Amino acid sequence: MQGFTYHRPTSVADAVVLLQSEGASGIAGGMTLLPVMKHRLATPLALVDLSGIAALGGIEVDGETLTIGAMVRHVAVADSPVVAAAIPALAALAAGIGDPAVRNRGTIGGVLANADPSADYPAAVAGLGATIVTDRREIAAEAMFTGLFATVLAPGELIVAVKFPVPLAAAYAKFRSPASRYAIVGVFVARFAAGVRVAVTGARPSVFRVPEMEAALSARFDPAALAGIAIPPDGLNGDIHAEPAFRAHLVGVMAARAVAAAGSGAA
Ligand SMILES: Cc1cc2nc3c(=O)[nH]c(=O)nc-3n(C[C@H](O)[C@H](O)[C@H](O)COP(=O)(O)OP(=O)(O)OC[C@H]3O[C@@H](n4cnc5c(N)ncnc54)[C@H](O)[C@@H]3O)c2cc1C
């Protein structure tokens, strides 16, 4: 690892100024950034530690919106009675991320900024129609991810919080890698008064919704409504874990499982 300067600001404003310096990088829990630095795939000249900024913490519900601060760690979402009461599917998703070490250090802001194609939270933000709040704007979840490890965030732009609309019911089902627990395919289903949303992670370079499934489930919220809806394997990810055709199959299976779980009140 090469040398770097280290800063630990206590306000968003100070962090944003520090992040404007050449070669600066924010660091949340370091779960991705530190291994990447150890392999010299990233060589920041300055690390801006976000852990001292109280404004990036907190979990709260206001009306029909659940807000989670960017630096909130996965274990805190998994264990939060506020999340469990508002969107239990989100608490369950967080509880299924990685292992205890990853959940104790990894953050929601870090996952979203990193945009790993197999990460779980992208399915939740797209499935729930969340809004990602940064130091300078609000980004609709659908506009956030632009490809493999790519987002619309500008250099130095800081995620401050994520706002989730509270659904009538929701559930997340993933077929996970037994080694890392990352999603080989994960499907988040959320039912709102206005209709159903279905978001898939792990299957393409970034999260996507499935309009055919959404229409069918909006008409009848039952796993049987998904019968006959096939996801074409074209353009799906293929790797040592799963070929595109297997991922296409998994999308249908995980979607049906998520609908069954949401319908049974396990949202
Ligand atoms: C072994 C292992 C297993 C894992 N399994 C899973 C899994 O099953 N599911 C899953 O979803 N994830 C998984 N992860 C990822 C994990 O959830 C971490 O949250 C993720 O690696 C990001 O780490 P972090 O939050 O510590 O961010 P960091 O590593 O500190 O930062 C990652 C990147 O995000 C940027 N960043 C961080 N915070 C912000 C912010 N607020 N605003 C803007 N940019 C920011 C940083 O500058 C950096 O570029 C796994 C990770 C590991 C190492």
Side-chain angles (χ1 to χ4, degrees), residues 26 28-33 74 98 107 110-111 113 119-120 159 174 180-182:
M31 282 293 97
T32 290
L33 185 57
H74 309 324
T107 65
V111 175
D120 297 304
I159 299 173
K174 80 165 159 174
S180 69
R181 277 86 157 187
Y182 271 109

Side-chain angles (χ1 to χ4, degrees), residues 136-163:
R136 61 200 74 174
R137 59 178 165 158
E138 297 201 342
I139 302 169
E142 340 240 354
M144 177 73 175
F145 306 101
T146 55
L148 199 67
F149 296 103
T151 71
V152 294
L153 292 175
E157 185 169 6
L158 198 61
I159 299 173
V160 173
V162 186
K163 291 192 216 169

Side-chain angles (χ1 to χ4, degrees), residues 116-119 175-185 202-203 236-248 250:
D116 189 298
S118 298
F175 189 84
R176 63 186 198 178
S177 156
S180 69
R181 277 86 157 187
Y182 271 109
I184 292 175
V185 167
L236 297 195
N237 300 334
D239 53 28
I240 56 167
H241 301 294
E243 294 173 351
F246 183 41
R247 278 190 163 87
L250 284 174

Side-chain angles (χ1 to χ4, degrees), residues 20-247:
Q20 281 163 4
S21 68
E22 194 187 337
S25 172
I27 181 164
M31 282 293 97
T32 290
L33 185 57
L34 288 181
V36 165
M37 288 173 65
K38 284 180 183 167
H39 287 99
R40 297 186 183 234
L41 297 170
T43 52
L45 301 175
L47 279 189
V48 181
D49 184 346
L50 306 176
S51 65
I53 306 174
L56 299 183
I59 298 175
E60 60 186 45
V61 171
D62 182 7
E64 292 301 300
T65 303
L66 170 70
T67 302
I68 300 180
M71 277 299 289
V72 173
R73 301 184 193 284
H74 309 324
V75 67
V77 174
D79 292 350
S80 165
V82 176
V83 178
I87 313 180
L90 204 52
L93 176 149
I97 292 176
D99 52 27
V102 170
R103 292 194 292 276
N104 278 311
R105 294 295 305 169
T107 65
I108 186 169
V111 175
L112 296 178
N114 197 47
D116 189 298
S118 298
D120 297 304
Y121 272 122
V125 296
L128 289 163
T131 301
I132 291 127
V133 183
T134 78
D135 63 282
R136 61 200 74 174
R137 59 178 165 158
E138 297 201 342
I139 302 169
E142 340 240 354
M144 177 73 175
F145 306 101
T146 55
L148 199 67
F149 296 103
T151 71
V152 294
L153 292 175
E157 185 169 6
L158 198 61
I159 299 173
V160 173
V162 186
K163 291 192 216 169
F164 294 94
V166 175
L168 299 172
Y172 178 63
K174 80 165 159 174
F175 189 84
R176 63 186 198 178
S177 156
S180 69
R181 277 86 157 187
Y182 271 109
I184 292 175
V185 167
V187 179
F188 198 100
V189 172
R191 185 160 62 86
F192 293 89
V196 174
R197 297 172 66 104
V198 177
V200 179
T201 189
R204 285 189 191 153
S206 56
V207 66
F208 62 95
R209 288 172 60 192
V210 188
E212 302 93 321
M213 288 185 172
E214 295 183 347
L217 293 168
S218 296
R220 183 163 69 113
F221 195 69
D222 186 304
L226 299 174
I229 300 178
I231 302 296
D234 316 330
L236 297 195
N237 300 334
D239 53 28
I240 56 167
H241 301 294
E243 294 173 351
F246 183 41
R247 278 190 163 87

